Amino acid sequence: MNQVFALADCNSFYASCERVFDPSLAGRPVIVLSNNDGCVIARTAEAKALGIVGFEPVFKYQAIIERHDVAVFSANFTLYGDLSDRVMTVLRSFAPQTEVYSIDEAFLTLTGLPEPPDPYCRRIRGTVRQWTGLPVSIGIGPTKTLAKLANRIAKKHPEHEGVFDLTGRPDLDALLDSVDVQDVWGVGHRYGKFLRARGVDTARRLRDLPDAYVKKHLTVVGLRTVEELRGNPCIAVQEARKPKQAILTSRSFGRDIGTLPELREAAAEFASMSAEKLRAQRSAAAFVTVFVETNSFREGPQYSNTATVGLAEPSDYTPRLIASAREGLARIFRPGYPYKRCGVLLSGLVPAVAAQRDCFAAEQRPAYGGALMRALDGLNARWGRGTLKYAAAGVARPWRMRQLRLSPRYTTTWDDLPVARAV
């Protein structure tokens, strides 16, 4: 039986999330900004048509924003994450296997379904839109790589109405010729530049390269991509995500800070957030790295530094990780500098149940530590992040991100629930 894969991808996801609860934004250009409202990270089709480019500073487009009444939002990742979970729940109900590839993308296996893939995916698309309010595009193909290319075609050509099927098409060669080699999933900028310099500038030319050449220059991973372009499935759908090998939490501050107490608060907050992610994947960390940076866009002396603290034994206990982050910060802090950014990285990750213990080290956490962390994570999961937090992370937190255009967290905060009024 021939395999059939689909890639469902939300259109302009962050910007579309902002439209779900505000119908007045339909047809209006919408952009979403990065942390501290610095750069454009998401744009609707209307905003792209105005010439607004992603990952560019928003101040460059201030005149366009004012002239065309562009709606501008600070990134509301709490809202986006919850809506993503809802989309993935709908997709799982339609496919025997689902791989969540990113916050707005998922691969589905459609092999063996009684209904043809095209109408089935149109039904999926309509259900997602009806139940979540979010538009999705779906690409269908005999491999994950071809499904990814089909999704790109579905997005770029409105005449396909959000769904495009690459399986069994007689014009497949022409379609692959229309796709730049750098746009093939798994090729990337470095290999794309290498291939284009040698005349391999389209997906079709990459597909037709000899195996020996591909294996020599693009390794076995590249050969797998080429086989996928030929219609031979080499990359399976992975329902369970692989645990991360490192966990980083970092932020730019809403204003420059220059005192050690404020930096200690920030480091504690970031260590706490990383620890929550660590426990979510049932891992423990052997190393805690903290870094600080000044604002490179400002004149004057610049400073950045990093310190790593090794733990006597891997841990997922927040107080221990906070203490290590603050220990590292004390090593690298230099007074007299205005710091703009700080971050905490947890590395040396191992499964928590298999962490090697040190018989000669002092107890890394009290006997009640595991129950305490489960209670902390459970309450924050139920009532929202930050419901319970460590005092070491501060209360006022004047250094927190600047988010002047933040929309309500409609689906996760009681105070932000939409209100319907009868007229």
Side-chain angles (χ1 to χ4, degrees), residues 401-413:
M401 290 187 300
R402 183 175 64 250
Q403 294 179 300
L404 303 179
R405 301 171 181 267
L406 188 65
S407 58
R409 292 166 292 179
Y410 297 103
T411 61
T412 58
T413 302

Side-chain angles (χ1 to χ4, degrees), residues 22 62 128 163 215 252 276 302 307 309 367 386 418 422:
D22 188 352
Q62 197 58 45
V128 172
V163 176
K215 190 173 182 179
S252 294
E276 183 179 328
Q302 300 291 327
V309 177

Side-chain angles (χ1 to χ4, degrees), residues 176-177 179-184 187-210 213-214 217-218 222 225-226 229-230:
L176 292 181
D177 258 335
V179 177
D180 190 286
V181 68
Q182 199 164 301
D183 293 329
V184 175
V187 172
H189 175 74
R190 185 167 67 89
Y191 281 136
K193 186 177 179 181
F194 171 85
L195 290 167
R196 290 179 67 85
R198 288 154 180 80
V200 183
D201 56 354
T202 68
R204 180 184 178 183
R205 290 182 175 179
L206 174 61
R207 180 201 65 183
D208 295 341
L209 285 175
Y213 182 90
V214 174
H217 295 286
L218 307 182
T225 297
V226 170
L229 289 174
R230 294 168 180 165

Side-chain angles (χ1 to χ4, degrees), residues 46-106:
E46 296 85 355
K48 294 175 184 177
L50 295 176
I52 298 176
V53 179
F55 302 101
E56 290 284 338
V58 67
F59 71 81
K60 292 177 59 175
Y61 302 107
Q62 197 58 45
I64 294 177
I65 290 170
E66 294 174 1
R67 187 182 313 122
H68 296 279
D69 191 29
V70 178
V72 183
F73 292 93
S74 302
N76 189 342
F77 292 118
T78 302
L79 175 66
Y80 308 155
D82 186 68
L83 288 179
S84 171
D85 289 341
R86 296 177 185 218
V87 170
M88 300 309 165
T89 299
V90 177
L91 295 177
R92 288 190 184 97
S93 70
F94 278 92
Q97 287 183 299
T98 304
E99 175 188 342
V100 179
Y101 184 64
S102 69
I103 191 171
D104 62 344
E105 290 179 282

Side-chain angles (χ1 to χ4, degrees), residues 167-342:
T167 58
R169 290 191 66 97
D171 59 345
L172 180 59
D173 285 354
L175 288 170
L176 292 181
D177 258 335
S178 69
V179 177
D180 190 286
V181 68
Q182 199 164 301
D183 293 329
V184 175
W185 184 44
V187 172
H189 175 74
R190 185 167 67 89
Y191 281 136
K193 186 177 179 181
F194 171 85
L195 290 167
R196 290 179 67 85
R198 288 154 180 80
V200 183
D201 56 354
T202 68
R204 180 184 178 183
R205 290 182 175 179
L206 174 61
R207 180 201 65 183
D208 295 341
L209 285 175
D211 289 359
Y213 182 90
V214 174
K215 190 173 182 179
K216 177 180 178 181
H217 295 286
L218 307 182
T219 74
V220 175
V221 176
L223 183 58
R224 190 181 304 152
T225 297
V226 170
E227 284 293 334
E228 289 253 321
L229 289 174
R230 294 168 180 165
N232 303 318
C234 298
I235 307 173
V237 167
Q238 299 176 347
E239 294 188 89
R241 284 191 175 185
K242 291 183 179 179
K244 295 180 179 178
Q245 300 301 306
I247 295 174
L248 171 67
T249 303
S250 66
R251 298 286 188 276
S252 294
F253 304 129
R255 61 166 176 81
D256 293 348
I257 61 177
T259 66
L260 182 57
E262 286 183 308
L263 277 176
R264 284 162 61 93
E265 284 187 3
E269 171 73 2
F270 301 155
S272 180
M273 294 171 66
S274 294
E276 183 179 328
K277 300 172 188 175
L278 183 73
R279 291 189 294 272
Q281 68 172 38
R282 296 186 175 88
S283 296
F287 301 95
V288 179
T289 300
V290 61
F291 71 85
V292 292
E293 297 174 355
T294 54
N295 190 344
S296 59
F297 294 100
R298 288 197 173 186
E299 295 182 359
Q302 300 291 327
Y303 174 73
S304 62
N305 208 342
T306 302
T308 298
V309 177
L311 305 182
E313 58 185 42
S315 178
D316 63 358
Y317 187 50
T318 297
R320 181 71 187 94
L321 300 174
I322 288 176
S324 298
R326 296 174 72 166
E327 178 186 339
L329 181 64
R331 296 180 192 171
I332 60 177
F333 175 75
R334 297 291 181 271
Y337 288 97
Y339 293 96
K340 184 62 176 177
R341 186 177 179 86
C342 174

Side-chain angles (χ1 to χ4, degrees), residues 377-410:
D377 294 341
L379 287 168
N380 284 335
R382 181 173 182 180
W383 301 108
R385 175 175 286 170
T387 300
L388 286 182
K389 57 186 177 183
Y390 283 84
V395 178
R397 299 192 298 170
W399 43 266
R400 64 182 181 273
M401 290 187 300
R402 183 175 64 250
Q403 294 179 300
L404 303 179
R405 301 171 181 267
L406 188 65
S407 58
R409 292 166 292 179
Y410 297 103

